[in-house]
Amino acid sequence: MFDGFTLERVDLGEVALRVRHGGSGPPLLLLHWHPRTHTTWHRVAPLLAERFTVVCPDTRGYGESAKPPTTDDHTPYSKRVMADDCVALMRALGHERFFAAGHDRGACVATRLALDHPDVVQAVAILDSIPIGETLARCDAEFARAWFHWFFFAQPDKPERVITADPDSWYNVGTRNTPERLGEDNFADFHRAIHNPATVKAMLEDYRAGLGVDRDHDDADKAAGHRITCPTLVLWSSEDDLEALHGDILAIWREWTVDLRGHPIESGHHMAEENPEALAGSLTKFFDNVEASSYLHATEKRARHDPEERSDVREDRRARGRRD
């Protein structure tokens, strides 16, 4: 698993994050979802590492990353704070600007990352998600039935007692989550995480922040008309219920972005584990095109001041047309 990647802990001051990174090329940050750890990307990351320097952390609280104390408003587990962790992590690894992709809860972090740090995020991919504020504003009986855990997890104390009493039953070990389906090493990492009571509590703090401070941040941005200014790709699982619950996913995201594209991936909810080739292909095409456009823009800008570069710009455009 993750052949050629480096596994280490990076101390960021307030937290230390477990991170695996490898490959070469433009930096790309991958953010996992609940209750997984960074190892959920084990089938996707090696494919992306052929073109990108791929960075896969356990976000704070998850897996083997640090689990700082919480507060009454759960701000230490807000997506804003997790996004700040991501910027600090990437800088510690030598990456001042980077691409980012996140799935589900990780997509909420990636969304906040793109909104709060537009000078840092070059492009972002959002997988199986709409903004938390939008989800809660659209909440109805159907959503509450299908995604009741959002509200159960937000309750004090009781969710910890229920989950830690039988983690395997709560997280469908032996049915949906098996070594055969997840891959043996990925399953072992996931299984170890859900059996750690401190990790369970920290994961619940993520959801408690979601119903309070995270929604406040989203609602404030929407009221102020703030949008994601970098190129944005939205992907959703064709066999999951995001579209059934919320309708036109791209229509929702158009209110939050200025440069949007997207399409479904043939998969159940865990697309990185179920259809890694299609997911890696979509991400590679998107980020490659953004990188090529950025290069051409920079070259054209120089060419306006240096006529000798104009022929290079024309050739780059022809070459890009052939690739597309």
Side-chain angles (χ1 to χ4, degrees), residues 10 79 93 104 178 225 241 317:
V10 178
K79 309 309 160 288
L93 295 176
D104 198 299
T178 64
D241 61 359
R317 284 197 176 279

Side-chain angles (χ1 to χ4, degrees), residues 266-323:
E266 186 175 347
S267 174
H269 185 63
H270 299 288
M271 60 172 70
E273 295 164 355
E274 296 176 31
N275 198 347
E277 293 83 6
L279 176 56
S282 292
L283 294 177
T284 297
K285 181 178 179 180
F286 170 62
F287 291 124
D288 264 354
N289 286 340
V290 172
E291 181 72 6
S293 296
S294 298
Y295 171 77
L296 285 174
H297 177 75
T299 304
E300 288 171 340
K301 186 175 180 180
R302 290 195 304 270
R304 286 197 293 270
H305 304 282
D306 184 357
E308 293 183 3
E309 292 200 21
R310 289 176 187 163
S311 61
D312 293 336
V313 172
R314 288 192 293 270
E315 178 56 32
D316 283 340
R317 284 197 176 279
R318 285 194 292 268
R320 185 184 178 197
R322 289 193 292 270
R323 288 196 301 272

Side-chain angles (χ1 to χ4, degrees), residues 3-321:
D3 286 346
F5 279 63
T6 297
L7 178 64
E8 61 178 317
R9 289 180 64 82
V10 178
D11 190 345
L12 304 177
E14 181 184 349
V15 294
L17 301 183
R18 181 177 66 153
V19 59
R20 204 178 298 249
H21 54 98
S24 61
L28 169 56
L29 175 71
L30 299 180
L31 298 171
H32 63 85
W33 56 98
H34 168 269
R36 301 294 203 256
T37 73
H38 79 274
T39 65
T40 194
W41 299 107
H42 73 107
R43 293 171 177 153
V44 173
L47 301 176
L48 294 173
E50 297 174 6
R51 304 288 288 273
F52 305 96
T53 299
V54 180
V55 179
C56 306
D58 292 346
T59 51
R60 69 162 56 200
Y62 284 81
E64 295 183 13
S65 285
K67 300 153 181 51
T70 192
T71 59
D72 290 342
D73 66 358
H74 314 290
T75 291
Y77 290 87
S78 69
K79 309 309 160 288
R80 173 161 285 162
V81 171
M82 290 182 177
D84 290 344
D85 288 345
C86 292
V87 174
L89 171 65
M90 295 301 276
R91 285 177 177 163
L93 295 176
H95 310 304
E96 292 296 325
R97 297 191 73 221
F98 52 89
F99 300 131
H103 184 267
D104 198 299
R105 303 304 289 187
C108 298
V109 179
T111 299
R112 182 50 49 194
L113 185 60
L115 285 166
D116 286 359
H117 301 277
D119 56 330
V120 168
V121 181
Q122 189 175 355
V124 65
I126 305 295
L127 318 180
D128 276 333
S129 179
I130 63 173
I132 288 175
E134 296 285 354
T135 300
L136 295 174
R138 287 169 164 74
C139 180
D140 58 12
E142 185 177 1
F143 178 83
R145 179 192 59 78
W147 294 82
F148 75 94
H149 64 277
W150 274 46
F151 310 100
F152 176 61
F153 285 176
Q155 305 307 309
D157 302 324
K158 289 184 179 180
E160 286 92 334
R161 294 169 59 188
V162 170
I163 295 171
T164 57
D166 190 355
D168 285 355
S169 176
W170 183 266
Y171 286 114
N172 302 302
V173 172
T175 54
R176 290 204 301 269
N177 292 318
T178 64
E180 293 76 21
R181 187 171 185 177
L182 274 64
E184 288 188 7
D185 291 337
N186 178 34
F187 173 83
D189 208 69
F190 149 78
H191 196 249
R192 186 165 57 252
I194 65 173
H195 279 265
N196 182 345
T199 301
V200 171
K201 180 174 179 57
M203 292 192 296
L204 295 173
E205 284 297 304
D206 173 357
Y207 282 82
R208 288 165 180 151
L211 295 195
V213 63
D214 289 333
R215 183 181 191 178
D216 291 344
H217 293 158
D218 280 4
D219 289 350
D221 275 329
K222 187 171 184 179
H226 295 160
R227 294 189 174 197
I228 296 174
T229 56
C230 67
T232 304
L233 174 68
V234 174
L235 303 173
W236 60 95
S237 303
S238 62
E239 299 170 23
D240 201 23
D241 61 359
L242 190 72
E243 197 168 17
L245 288 171
H246 301 298
D248 189 338
I249 302 305
L250 293 181
I252 296 171
W253 277 106
R254 284 190 191 101
E255 298 183 9
W256 287 83
T257 59
V258 299
D259 182 357
L260 176 68
R261 66 222 68 182
H263 59 85
I265 293 287
E266 186 175 347
S267 174
H269 185 63
H270 299 288
M271 60 172 70
E273 295 164 355
E274 296 176 31
N275 198 347
E277 293 83 6
L279 176 56
S282 292
L283 294 177
T284 297
K285 181 178 179 180
F286 170 62
F287 291 124
D288 264 354
N289 286 340
V290 172
E291 181 72 6
S293 296
S294 298
Y295 171 77
L296 285 174
H297 177 75
T299 304
E300 288 171 340
K301 186 175 180 180
R302 290 195 304 270
R304 286 197 293 270
H305 304 282
D306 184 357
E308 293 183 3
E309 292 200 21
R310 289 176 187 163
S311 61
D312 293 336
V313 172
R314 288 192 293 270
E315 178 56 32
D316 283 340
R317 284 197 176 279
R318 285 194 292 268
R320 185 184 178 197

